[in-house]
Amino acid sequence: MKRFFPVVFTLLCTVITVLYSQESKPEKLDDMVISATRSEIQAADAPQNIRVITAEEIQESPYETVEEIVQNTPGMYNFRHRFLNQNGIISPLQMRGTGKNRVLFLIDGIPQNDNFNNTIAWVGWGHIPKEAIKRIEVVRGPSSALYGSEGLGGAIHIITKDGAEERKTALTGKAGSGSTLGGSSVHSQQAGDFSFVASANYSQSDGFYVTKDPGENDEKRYRDDIRLFGKLGYDISEEAHISAAGLFYNQEGGQGTPGEYTEIMLDQYWLNYSHSLDKLDISTTLFLNRADKETQKVDRNFDPQFVEDFDGSYTWGGDFQATFTDLSPVTLTTGAAYKNSFMAYDVTYLTDDERREGAEGMQQFAAPFVSATMSTLYGRLIFTVGGRYDWIQTKDGANWDTHRAWDIGETGGFDREYDERTDDNISPSLGVVWHTTPNTTLKSSAGIGFRAPSLFEMYKVHVRGQGSSFTRSNPDLSPEKIYSYDIGAEHFFMDNLLGKLTFYQSRGTDYIGSKFIEEDTDAGIRYSQRDNISEVDIYGFEIELDWQPFEELSIQSGYTYNNSKIKSDEDQPDLEGNYLEHDPQHKGNFRVSYHNDRIVNATLNAAVYGDKYYDLENTMKSDAYWSLDGTLSRTFLERFTARLAVENILDEQNVIFQRMRAGEIQQTVDPGRILTASLTYQF
């Protein structure tokens, strides 16, 4: 890692030399964020690189799900299209090259990564209506010092809307490609000390083929989904506020193969209380997240074989924090968090009434945390330090199958119970921000992130490929860890042109993967087991420009270079030096937005993705491609807004995923051009 310091130092010195030559006096961006320190701080004063996506940007976006709205953030990559419907347990978003399932997702501070079966990956991060979102904060770099497990690459935090001071109601109808039909409504208002916001969204579509050159055993991936959100707030006094919120999501979708479908239902509830005192701000949150998933799979003859059911799986918990505001020049936040997850998994075989398969387990986290920010030199030099201790208990683990043997040569099934285990982890973080001039800011942060093995990884036996792949669980998995730092510069070249340059480097240890065990050639079954097998080296840099030449026009562009390689693999040393899968080395994005209600509102998004590998052996590779998406909208008669969104304007079926199946490479492509027209009535 040391070999890159001279390069970074030289690059930053060159940038700073240029920056000091600028004499303009910019107006600083005043975005206030909470995700970087757990208390309010200006984005410019946060040590990590943060992007804030506003409600206006979200509404103007041609995309419907959060994973697509944030995908053009430098350092972020999304390898899935929403019409895949779901991608098993693999979350599609990757941040700073850390790999799959290593991004923390929060809604109003509530963790969405559930630790039992990664439900958030099933729904494509689309379970919250975008009409309910106030802003999205994207924090790049490890987040474990504040939020615990999962955030090795960073965190995505959705902040939901509160009730509007004046009553607002909007009804929307839409129609589009793939016989897509839908509608939504949103209502927001305040009444005395009460505030209320509610949103409902329904959509159905015949879907699209996502397989290149579909054959007789391929079908369109249809989907029907319902999204409901409600939030009620009450001002107890000028200093105290309480709010309760709920979210419901239901989706049924085809999986591209006749007879295979998935139905998902989520319901989530959270309660928040906050109180501002003279020298102290306190807040406490309680939450319950429940999930149910049913999936039907077919056998090698494409006949229905079994139905998987995660019924009764849930996560609940809460946290309490206190921010001391009268310790100038220090702001101190401290508190504790608790989370409890339970997994219940059961398989019903349609071809054998007597066969039973399943798994279960429970996992709980208890964690005190602290974060301190100190401002010196009249606010020009800011230090942050944070830390969190996570105590993790996993118990009641079991898995069973009355028919399938655990090892080749064995007969009968298996019924295993596992001992209780306890782990702990300490996650520190450090950061410094130096406003060298009114135009220029230097930033650096360092931290350790971790991801606890999920109940799914420890206890669920995973059978896929029409029975050709058998992955054993492993109750002895260790937590994944990452050691990371970044260093960057931000500069206003003009008072309306902001540039950012950030270099990052990380070392990941104990990465969890599937280790090949043996193959039953007679039965055509490949046996693997989850294990801590990899150590990875990661480095890269992000370049961002944000320019608003005049009030109606804004332009954003970015470029990411990322290099993620396997440093060591004790089970497969031949993989050492290979690239991690599903992450291009080069990624660029460009966004231009024109906003003028009297004429037209228009947004154009362009993105280019370099070539990438789809397997750790680096044998499956796709070429670089670029995409173009856009929206047009116009308000007329004061209350009506017509909108046209076009995804994949060039109508290219780009390869977004590959896998080996039955000895052949199967390619997944995006659906091509998708047009969606909508009409909104506001009153």
Side-chain angles (χ1 to χ4, degrees):
M1 296 174 68
K2 294 180 179 179
R3 65 184 183 274
F4 296 105
F5 276 108
V7 177
V8 178
F9 182 79
T10 302
L11 184 60
L12 287 180
C13 286
T14 303
V15 172
I16 293 169
T17 301
V18 176
L19 301 185
Y20 266 111
S21 66
Q22 307 294 321
E23 297 297 335
S24 60
K25 300 289 185 181
E27 295 181 6
K28 290 289 185 182
L29 295 180
D30 58 357
D31 285 329
M32 300 297 292
V33 297
I34 60 174
S35 307
T37 59
R38 274 187 171 261
S39 59
E40 280 198 346
I41 188 173
Q42 283 194 346
D45 294 338
Q48 291 174 292
N49 192 4
I50 299 177
R51 184 189 174 198
V52 178
I53 305 174
T54 65
E56 183 179 272
E57 290 179 271
I58 293 167
Q59 286 303 113
E60 290 178 352
S61 169
Y63 316 117
E64 291 296 320
T65 64
V66 173
E67 68 176 26
E68 294 172 308
I69 292 170
V70 304
Q71 67 187 2
N72 287 330
T73 301
M76 184 83 69
Y77 177 62
N78 173 26
F79 69 82
R80 179 177 65 185
H81 192 280
R82 70 179 181 280
F83 271 100
L84 284 176
N85 288 339
Q86 59 99 6
N87 202 55
I89 62 169
I90 300 175
S91 177
L93 286 178
Q94 301 182 164
M95 199 181 297
R96 286 190 170 177
T98 53
K100 299 169 291 189
N101 294 346
R102 298 180 179 99
V103 176
L104 177 66
F105 185 39
L106 305 161
I107 296 180
D108 289 342
I110 307 302
Q112 303 295 295
N113 311 65
D114 54 33
N115 294 94
F116 55 82
N117 50 20
N118 206 26
T119 312
I120 203 63
W122 298 343
V123 301
W125 298 29
H127 59 309
I128 183 168
K130 71 178 188 179
E131 296 85 1
I133 301 175
K134 180 180 180 180
R135 70 179 186 273
I136 303 173
E137 299 178 6
V138 181
V139 183
R140 284 156 282 188
S143 60
S144 295
L146 296 175
Y147 300 105
S149 180
E150 311 300 332
L152 277 70
I156 298 171
H157 193 175
I158 289 179
I159 312 297
T160 62
K161 292 179 179 178
D162 295 309
E165 292 185 5
E166 296 184 5
R167 183 184 67 83
K168 295 181 179 179
T169 304
L171 303 175
T172 300
K174 66 178 182 179
S177 304
S179 299
T180 299
L181 295 172
S184 65
S185 63
V186 60
H187 176 79
S188 177
Q189 74 175 89
Q190 291 184 2
D193 294 328
F194 288 91
S195 63
F196 178 70
V197 60
S199 177
N201 188 299
Y202 172 74
S203 178
Q204 66 176 26
S205 177
D206 289 347
F208 304 87
Y209 290 110
V210 295
T211 301
K212 202 172 186 66
D213 301 322
E216 61 179 351
N217 292 318
D218 295 303
E219 67 177 14
K220 294 181 179 180
R221 299 205 175 197
Y222 68 88
R223 64 184 292 164
D224 296 324
D225 59 65
I226 300 172
R227 289 175 284 179
L228 305 175
F229 172 79
K231 186 177 183 181
L232 175 66
Y234 175 64
D235 291 326
I236 302 172
S237 66
E238 291 185 1
E239 298 81 18
H241 179 77
I242 189 170
S243 65
L247 185 156
F248 174 82
Y249 180 84
N250 189 89
Q251 182 201 90
E252 181 178 346
Q255 297 305 302
T257 300
E260 293 194 347
Y261 70 87
T262 296
E263 185 172 3
I264 302 162
M265 186 181 73
L266 308 177
D267 58 313
Q268 303 183 352
Y269 313 92
W270 59 98
L271 179 70
N272 176 265
Y273 171 77
S274 60
H275 197 155
S276 295
L277 305 174
D278 289 340
K279 302 178 181 180
L280 180 68
D281 294 338
I282 62 173
S283 68
T284 186
T285 301
L286 300 173
F287 69 90
L288 170 65
N289 297 345
R290 299 192 300 181
D292 184 14
K293 174 190 175 187
E294 180 180 288
T295 299
Q296 179 170 291
K297 291 293 183 180
V298 299
D299 60 21
R300 299 181 190 184
N301 295 318
F302 297 96
D303 295 322
Q305 184 182 26
F306 61 83
V307 175
E308 290 183 327
D309 194 4
F310 286 91
D311 186 10
S313 297
Y314 61 81
T315 299
W316 69 272
D319 67 40
F320 170 84
Q321 73 174 50
T323 300
F324 298 86
T325 58
D326 195 37
L327 301 176
S328 182
V330 174
T331 300
L332 176 67
T333 298
T334 185
Y338 176 80
K339 183 170 72 170
N340 184 300
S341 294
F342 174 75
M343 177 185 75
Y345 168 74
D346 185 69
V347 178
T348 300
Y349 279 83
L350 305 177
T351 55
D352 189 342
D353 293 339
E354 297 182 358
R355 183 173 179 178
R356 291 292 179 268
E357 178 187 346
E360 62 184 14
M362 190 185 80
Q363 190 176 61
Q364 58 181 339
F365 296 73
F369 57 83
V370 63
S371 175
T373 301
M374 183 177 71
S375 177
T376 63
L377 297 180
Y378 304 100
R380 293 180 59 191
L381 186 60
I382 302 166
F383 297 95
T384 63
V385 60
R388 173 168 165 144
Y389 171 78
D390 278 88
W391 174 84
I392 309 162
Q393 183 188 59
T394 308
K395 62 181 182 179
D396 300 334
N399 54 32
W400 58 89
D401 189 329
T402 57
H403 282 51
R404 186 187 298 273
W406 186 267
D407 291 308
I408 295 177
E410 292 183 353
T411 58
F414 60 87
D415 188 351
R416 295 170 174 251
E417 296 183 354
Y418 300 99
D419 294 335
E420 177 182 310
R421 57 176 282 186
T422 301
D423 299 283
D424 59 4
N425 189 83
I426 297 176
S427 304
S429 67
L430 295 168
V432 60
V433 176
W434 181 24
H435 299 297
T436 61
T437 73
N439 307 40
T440 306
T441 299
L442 301 181
K443 295 185 175 186
S444 183
S445 67
I448 299 175
F450 85 102
R451 185 181 76 87
S454 67
L455 295 169
F456 188 102
E457 292 167 323
M458 288 191 289
Y459 300 133
K460 183 188 178 299
V461 175
H462 202 49
V463 180
R464 284 297 181 265
Q466 282 113 22
S468 62
S469 173
F470 181 87
T471 303
R472 299 171 184 156
S473 58
N474 185 351
D476 300 318
L477 291 170
S478 299
E480 299 179 339
K481 286 193 175 184
I482 196 165
Y483 304 83
S484 182
Y485 76 91
D486 58 37
I487 182 170
E490 300 181 1
H491 178 67
F492 281 88
F493 294 95
M494 298 180 289
D495 59 3
N496 55 7
L497 175 58
L498 173 65
K500 294 183 180 182
L501 171 65
T502 306
F503 174 86
Y504 60 86
Q505 191 163 19
S506 305
R507 179 171 62 89
T509 63
D510 289 326
Y511 265 35
I512 296 172
S514 295
K515 180 172 65 175
F516 173 70
I517 302 297
E518 56 189 340
E519 186 166 1
D520 186 343
T521 55
D522 293 334
I525 301 175
R526 178 184 174 89
Y527 286 82
S528 302
Q529 178 171 308
R530 299 185 186 94
D531 208 347
N532 299 100
I533 58 176
S534 299
E535 182 176 337
V536 300
D537 272 342
I538 303 165
Y539 69 90
F541 61 87
E542 301 152 353
I543 300 174
E544 302 171 63
L545 287 175
D546 193 340
W547 184 30
Q548 190 167 3
F550 49 91
E551 184 178 356
E552 293 86 0
L553 182 66
S554 63
I555 299 172
Q556 296 175 338
S557 63
Y559 168 75
T560 304
Y561 172 80
N562 181 80
N563 190 303
S564 300
K565 288 187 175 182
I566 299 173
K567 182 179 180 181
S568 65
D569 191 311
E570 62 182 37
D571 183 63
Q572 301 180 73
D574 291 343
L575 298 181
E576 295 174 6
N578 286 3
Y579 292 99
L580 289 186
E581 55 194 342
H582 305 302
D583 211 341
Q585 271 193 296
H586 304 277
K587 174 180 173 288
N589 62 277
F590 177 82
R591 177 181 182 272
V592 57
S593 179
Y594 178 76
H595 190 88
N596 189 324
D597 288 333
R598 294 175 302 171
I599 303 175
V600 70
N601 298 320
T603 299
L604 186 67
N605 291 326
V608 60
Y609 304 96
D611 51 16
K612 57 184 178 294
Y613 293 99
Y614 295 92
D615 61 339
L616 295 179
E617 291 78 14
N618 289 180
T619 59
M620 291 187 289
K621 184 180 180 181
S622 67
D623 296 330
Y625 69 92
W626 70 293
S627 65
L628 198 62
D629 312 305
T631 59
L632 288 172
S633 65
R634 177 72 164 83
T635 299
F636 57 97
L637 300 179
E638 295 185 352
R639 296 184 180 274
F640 293 90
T641 300
R643 183 173 181 268
L644 176 66
V646 186
E647 299 178 55
N648 196 347
I649 294 173
L650 303 178
D651 198 24
E652 297 287 343
Q653 286 195 313
N654 302 302
V655 177
I656 57 176
F657 188 75
Q658 295 186 33
R659 65 176 176 176
M660 188 68 68
R661 194 164 189 174
E664 296 182 355
I665 295 178
Q666 183 184 72
Q667 294 183 329
T668 299
V669 298
D670 61 38
R673 185 184 298 121
I674 299 176
L675 289 83
T676 305
S678 64
L679 180 65
T680 299
Y681 174 59
Q682 304 173 62
F683 60 96

